[in-house]
């Protein structure tokens, strides 16, 4: 009969959840997977280094821009509208620092993934490998939040235009 599918009761699901904690169901990483994780760790390390260089440049720009904004006695009417602050760019500086801290955390998580995952795969250390995967999850959460904030910002700009 095409319409009779096996169904699971809630008690069956509870048994499955308990069984997933058994060592029998642990994930094994074979030679090919190890090579993929090593390669991912190398790229993660490379991208994290690029992040840190970018953060350094961003910090320098923020320091110089902040100093220029603080030293200017008044802003032109065009700049006042852009900054939203009549006497300086405090809002932009705080916003820039907030973005800096958020992205710095994401960069640290990517670097932590790369180093812990590589160490875990090379030494077959399950704890280090799990720490690396948790850091990768945190990195993706940060990037997901950043993507959502970008979409909301774009949507607000579009609504503002209309």
């Amino acid at each position: 009969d095409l319409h009779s599918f096996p169904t699971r009761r809630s008690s069956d699901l509870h048994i499955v959840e308990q069984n997933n904690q058994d060592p029998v169901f642990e994930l094994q990483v074979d030679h090919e997977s190890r090579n993929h994780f090593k390669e991912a760790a190398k790229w993660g390390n490379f991208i994290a280094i690029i992040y840190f260089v970018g953060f350094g440049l961003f910090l320098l720009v923020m320091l110089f821009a902040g100093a220029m904004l603080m030293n200017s006695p008044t802003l032109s009417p065009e700049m006042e509208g852009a900054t939203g602050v009549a006497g300086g760019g405090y809002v932009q500086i705080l916003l820039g620092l907030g973005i800096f801290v958020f992205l710095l955390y994401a960069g640290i998580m990517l670097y932590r993934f790369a180093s812990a995952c590589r160490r875990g795969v090379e030494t077959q250390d399950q704890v280090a490998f799990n720490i690396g995967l948790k850091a990768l999850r945190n990195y993706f959460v940060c990037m997901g939040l950043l993507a959502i904030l970008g979409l909301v910002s774009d949507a607000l700009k579009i609504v503002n235009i209309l």
Side-chain angles (χ1 to χ4, degrees):
D1 186 23
L2 292 175
H3 298 291
S4 63
F5 294 101
T7 59
R8 288 193 168 175
R9 298 181 309 264
S10 62
S11 60
D12 292 339
L13 294 176
H14 183 64
I15 292 169
V16 171
E17 288 175 4
Q18 287 177 344
N19 287 341
N20 285 339
Q21 296 173 358
D22 274 345
V24 175
F25 292 104
E26 287 184 4
L27 180 65
Q28 298 295 319
V29 179
D30 61 0
H31 180 70
E32 184 179 354
S33 297
R34 281 191 192 111
N35 288 336
H36 289 307
F37 276 115
K38 283 182 184 179
E39 190 69 24
K42 286 178 188 176
W43 280 105
N45 197 29
F46 175 72
I47 294 170
I49 290 170
I50 291 173
Y51 260 88
F52 294 136
V53 169
F55 294 143
L57 293 174
F58 182 74
L59 188 60
L60 286 175
V61 168
M62 287 298 296
L63 289 175
F64 288 124
M68 289 172 51
L69 286 173
M70 297 304 166
N71 288 335
S72 66
T74 61
L75 294 176
S76 65
E78 297 85 26
M79 286 298 289
E80 286 180 10
T83 61
V85 179
Y90 296 111
V91 172
Q92 277 67 26
I93 293 170
L94 290 176
L95 184 63
L97 288 176
I99 292 170
F100 176 80
V101 168
F102 185 76
L103 289 174
L104 181 63
Y105 176 75
I108 290 170
M109 289 297 105
L110 186 60
Y111 182 76
R112 187 176 292 171
F113 155 73
S115 60
C117 186
R118 184 180 61 241
R119 184 176 60 249
V121 168
E122 289 174 352
T123 63
Q124 295 184 359
D125 181 3
Q126 186 68 43
V127 173
F129 185 71
N130 289 344
I131 289 171
L133 290 180
K134 183 178 180 184
L136 184 62
R137 178 189 63 93
N138 290 342
Y139 171 77
F140 282 129
V141 167
C142 285
M143 291 297 106
L145 289 174
L146 187 63
I148 290 170
L149 289 174
L151 288 173
V152 167
S153 173
D154 290 345
L156 289 174
K157 289 176 187 174
I158 290 171
V159 169
N160 222 6
I161 291 173
L162 300 176

